[in-house]
Amino acid sequence: MKTDILVVGAGCAGLTAALYAARAGKSVLVLEQDTVGGQIAFSPRVENYPGIPSISGAAFADGLLAQVEALGVRVELETVERLLPGPPHAVRTDCGVHEALAVIVASGVRHRPLGLPGEDALAGISYCAVCDGAFYKGRDVAVVGGGSTALQSAELLAGLCRRVHLIHRRTAFRGEPQLAARVRALPNVALELGCTVEALESRDGKALSGLSLRDGSGLRPLAVDGLFVCIGQIPGNNAFAGVLALDEAGYVQAGEDCRTNVPGVFAAGDCRTKAVRQLTTAAADGAVAALGALAFCGD
Ligand code: NAP
């Protein structure tokens, strides 16, 4: 079925683009391969979105989805495998081909793995404290990373677990200073700073039983039941490679106007080259990309 504006990704950028396009009277299809709401759906608390003092990421995502669906936007769970440049533009998904006058790529980012042997196979390794924290109630866990995600995860897990080891390769945190101060004050959070995870240990070859940590004094073991990996994100733009210009890290090359190298294809939010990746900048990109797409489509 042909649509006016096709949006790839139902995170904050994609759903904001859908909101603007639908309010302008266009038919809009949003394709999402994983989680409606994107990364923010896994955030325990959002406290830096203007006008909303505090909200869970899941509630924020639910609100966005309800808002666009009430305007007639169709949101489908499909994985985009290839962008087929037009006109008309089209995307091939695991379910078929969708044509559109304009495409907005808002594919977001995915978690960065540590890249250690056993990371994919062992039970007890997670990338989402909101999703999996409850499995570790009363137990000892580690969080690795020094950004706001790692800090938020450590704070959330400290309320559930007996002990949380926060492992960061530097002595200063990259994440929000207020958040870092709250985490530093928690009695059951042990800071393992200037420290890296050298190896994942398992007594039975199936589940994580500990870590091998390296710091200035050498290697030391740390017994934990779970590890939460929060070391940032990487783009997942393979479906667009060879059609859209990507930078060396794999982000879609697009400026503040969200225009890509292909006329009628826009990139919005975390998936594009930009300095600041926040909920607010994702929303801003969604609006900019939608207005660009509307101008491209004409009346
Ligand atoms: P991030 O800010 O990119 O931080 C990633 C952290 O992981 C950094 O401390 C980095 O260390 C470390 N790291 C990267 N690769 C590593 C490796 N191979 N081994 C060990 N450590 C590694 O990622 P994020 O915390 O997921 O945040 C992403 C974005 O979302 C940021 O813009 C952040 O501000 C935003 N965010 C905001 C909130 C909020 O409530 N305001 C909450 C969550 C996220 P170095 O410091 O040494 O580089």
Side-chain angles (χ1 to χ4, degrees):
M1 189 157 94
K2 194 162 167 182
T3 188
D4 292 329
I5 296 182
L6 188 145
V7 180
V8 183
C12 181
L15 292 182
T16 304
L19 172 68
Y20 274 70
R23 282 175 52 82
K26 299 295 179 189
S27 62
V28 184
L29 172 63
V30 180
L31 300 177
E32 169 58 52
Q33 65 174 355
D34 194 355
T35 308
V36 173
Q39 298 271 318
I40 202 63
F42 302 114
S43 178
R45 259 192 300 172
V46 178
E47 295 177 327
N48 57 2
Y49 198 85
I52 305 176
S54 182
I55 187 171
S56 76
F60 183 86
D62 285 350
L64 257 179
L65 178 65
Q67 192 176 9
V68 300
E69 285 190 330
L71 291 166
V73 171
R74 279 198 304 138
V75 180
E76 303 289 351
L77 276 178
E78 290 184 36
T79 300
V80 172
E81 294 170 342
R82 201 77 200 125
L83 172 66
L84 311 166
H89 298 306
V91 296
R92 193 184 68 228
T93 75
D94 52 347
C95 300
V97 172
H98 300 277
E99 283 190 356
L101 297 177
V103 174
I104 297 172
V105 174
S107 51
V109 285
R110 56 193 171 82
H111 63 256
R112 173 185 284 127
L114 278 169
L116 291 173
E119 189 172 357
D120 291 337
L122 290 176
I125 297 167
S126 169
Y127 301 84
C128 178
V130 173
C131 320
D132 300 329
F135 296 128
Y136 299 91
K137 206 168 178 184
R139 300 166 78 185
D140 290 354
V141 298
V143 175
V144 59
S148 290
T149 303
L151 291 165
Q152 277 195 332
S153 301
E155 187 178 43
L156 184 143
L157 291 165
L160 295 168
C161 302
R162 190 175 68 159
R163 196 154 189 78
V164 178
H165 297 268
L166 178 53
I167 302 161
H168 180 34
R169 62 188 179 185
R170 298 183 200 280
T171 50
F173 290 109
R174 175 191 288 269
E176 273 186 38
Q178 276 180 319
L179 193 51
R182 286 209 304 261
V183 170
R184 282 179 185 275
L186 291 169
N188 61 339
V189 173
L191 300 181
E192 315 280 0
L193 301 179
C195 195
T196 54
V197 180
E198 189 84 358
L200 308 172
E201 309 294 348
S202 172
R203 275 190 295 273
D204 62 3
K206 292 180 187 156
L208 185 80
S209 56
L211 307 173
S212 181
L213 299 186
R214 182 179 290 283
D215 60 18
S217 339
L219 281 178
R220 65 184 161 93
L222 179 71
V224 287
D225 304 303
L227 173 66
F228 289 82
V229 180
C230 308
I231 58 169
Q233 286 87 31
I234 49 175
N237 289 325
N238 287 349
F240 316 111
V243 177
L244 300 184
L246 306 181
D247 72 4
E248 63 285 352
Y251 292 98
V252 180
Q253 285 188 348
E256 290 302 311
D257 60 5
C258 296
R259 288 173 195 277
T260 69
N261 57 306
V262 177
V265 179
F266 300 81
D270 288 0
C271 70
R272 81 165 175 94
T273 47
K274 62 194 312 198
V276 180
R277 293 190 170 86
Q278 294 283 310
L279 201 53
T280 43
T281 58
D285 270 16
V288 171
L291 295 175
L294 290 168
F296 181 84
C297 291
D299 289 328

